[in-house]
């Protein structure tokens, strides 16, 4: 429910179904989980910093997301405040 307003542009831009948007959102959450597993916090995750990788999308038939712009990202240590 909290992320639904962020999904609307993805639906409108390319006439995606909610199932397709759900798959994209799953990729985004997986990317965030991966970054966090490497002790990295993006700090500026927004629609402008998410791109669709056209080459990967054409290759596998599914849209693939890429997170960009890590200028504000920070390394963190466990139990440390950001």
């Amino acid at each position: 429910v909290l992320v639904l307003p962020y999904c609307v542009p993805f639906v409108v831009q390319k006439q995606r179904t909610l199932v397709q948007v759900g798959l994209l959102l799953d990729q985004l959450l997986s990317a965030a989980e991966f970054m966090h597993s490497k002790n990295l916090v993006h700090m500026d995750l927004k629609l402008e910093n998410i791109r669709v990788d056209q080459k990967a999308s054409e290759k596998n038939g599914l849209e693939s997301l890429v997170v960009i712009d890590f200028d504000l990202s920070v390394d963190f240590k466990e139990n440390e405040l950001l």
Side-chain angles (χ1 to χ4, degrees), residues 1 10 17 19 26 29 33 44-45 48 51-52 59:
V1 173
F10 279 105
T17 66
V19 170
D26 184 61
L29 293 174
E33 182 179 30
D44 194 26
L45 201 53
E48 292 83 5
R51 298 281 187 261
V52 175
K59 184 177 180 179

Side-chain angles (χ1 to χ4, degrees), residues 3-58:
V3 297
L4 191 56
Y6 297 102
C7 296
V8 172
F10 279 105
V11 174
V12 173
Q13 288 173 352
K14 296 260 185 165
Q15 297 298 312
R16 295 175 180 97
T17 66
L18 286 179
V19 170
Q20 291 170 318
V21 172
L23 292 171
L24 293 173
L25 184 58
D26 184 61
Q27 287 183 45
L28 182 58
L29 293 174
S30 293
E33 182 179 30
F34 177 77
M35 288 183 281
H36 294 170
S37 75
K38 301 296 182 187
N39 297 330
L40 181 72
V41 180
H42 190 280
M43 301 297 285
D44 194 26
L45 201 53
K46 57 187 175 186
L47 287 176
E48 292 83 5
N49 292 334
I50 302 167
R51 298 281 187 261
V52 175
D53 182 349
Q54 295 299 329
K55 288 182 183 180
S57 298
E58 291 171 5

